[in-house]
Amino acid sequence: MDTSGVGVLDKAATVLGALESGPATLAQLVASTHLARPTAHRLAVALEHHRLVARDLQGRFVLGPRLAELAAAAGEDRLLAAAGPVLAALRDHTGESAQLFRRQGDQRICVAAAERPVGLRDSIPVGAQLSMLGGSAAQVLLAWEEPDRLHRGLHGAKFTATVLSGVRRRGWAQSVAEREPGVTSVSAPVRGPSGRIVAAVSISGPIERMTKQPGRLHAAAVVSAANRLSDVLRRADAS
């Protein structure tokens, strides 16, 4: 491992790096960092105090909200900067509320939204934490994961491995009453420069308007919006 010469910072960076791949128990953290158990625990708890690390519902360590706040404050989060107009255009085109989700541990976080201004709508405020066990955005954020993380994510999920295979084949997902009765949604992946899925663009609304096959109506528009955001990240990386 490349070291800075400041041991405690190097070890803290190792802990954060280990959590980049997903939630970890203390035992898993020890195994992946090769730190002594008391050292790994002390560093993880100290990082949690500063909100650089958090806990999920199972008590596992995950990356904390302070990291996203620092990235946004530094002006590095080009995705969020571009999301507003893209989601607004998607909302106007489809007539449904549009959102951008990122995964954090066992949750997905709404990081940007453009709500339908009038009439019956599915309102998901920025900052809302939703389950990874249901909904088209959860499908998208899980479908391209490594096999072991994918299979762990299916435990308790309202969708199956076969459904996720279809998501990968089509390049988009749909859900009908998975997250909430009467609500349907369509989502597509946003990819970072390396091709890794970094977010999901979604629209959601009532089944009465979006039907039980919402992808037939709106998949093309959602995929187009997601591709626009992927292009923003690709151009930013090339500049």
Side-chain angles (χ1 to χ4, degrees):
M1 182 185 72
D2 186 30
T3 62
S4 68
V6 182
V8 67
L9 288 181
D10 291 336
K11 291 173 182 176
T14 300
V15 170
L16 293 173
L19 295 178
E20 185 180 2
S21 61
T25 63
L26 179 58
Q28 290 169 332
L29 209 53
V30 169
S32 58
T33 62
H34 305 294
L35 295 171
R37 186 181 180 91
T39 301
H41 182 260
R42 186 171 65 251
L43 287 171
V45 171
L47 290 167
E48 185 181 11
H49 175 77
H50 291 286
R51 299 174 63 242
L52 295 167
V53 165
R55 309 276 186 123
D56 66 10
L57 294 176
Q58 283 73 48
R60 298 173 299 181
F61 295 106
V62 296
L63 292 176
R66 184 63 180 147
L67 294 171
E69 294 167 4
L70 290 171
E76 296 174 356
D77 203 336
R78 294 177 176 89
L79 178 60
L80 285 187
V86 170
L87 293 181
L90 179 61
R91 174 200 60 200
D92 294 345
H93 179 78
T94 62
E96 304 296 345
S97 298
Q99 306 90 27
L100 181 70
F101 290 98
R102 280 177 165 167
R103 183 175 182 178
Q104 186 177 78
D106 288 341
Q107 304 288 311
R108 52 187 170 100
I109 314 298
C110 179
V111 295
E115 285 196 10
R116 174 187 169 98
V118 296
L120 186 62
R121 60 187 182 272
D122 183 36
S123 182
I124 301 175
V126 172
Q129 299 186 20
L130 302 180
S131 170
M132 281 290 295
L133 299 178
S136 62
Q139 294 176 27
V140 163
L141 292 170
L142 187 61
W144 283 271
E145 285 282 13
E146 295 295 325
D148 59 335
R149 291 195 73 198
L150 188 153
H151 289 299
R152 285 201 305 270
L154 285 171
H155 292 310
K158 296 180 181 178
F159 46 80
T160 64
T162 301
V163 169
L164 296 188
S165 177
V167 172
R168 290 191 297 275
R169 185 177 64 253
R170 293 190 308 266
W172 54 268
Q174 66 179 5
S175 70
V176 178
E178 271 189 11
R179 176 176 61 83
E180 188 175 334
V183 173
T184 186
S185 66
V186 182
S187 298
V190 177
R191 297 180 181 272
S194 67
R196 180 171 172 266
I197 308 300
V198 297
V201 171
S202 302
I203 60 167
S204 58
I207 292 175
E208 289 82 355
R209 197 165 55 231
M210 290 181 62
T211 77
K212 292 185 177 181
Q213 291 291 331
R216 291 181 181 175
L217 294 177
H218 299 305
V222 176
V223 169
S224 178
N227 288 344
R228 285 178 63 189
L229 291 177
S230 298
D231 288 343
V232 167
L233 297 181
R234 192 157 45 245
R235 289 195 302 270
D237 185 66
S239 61

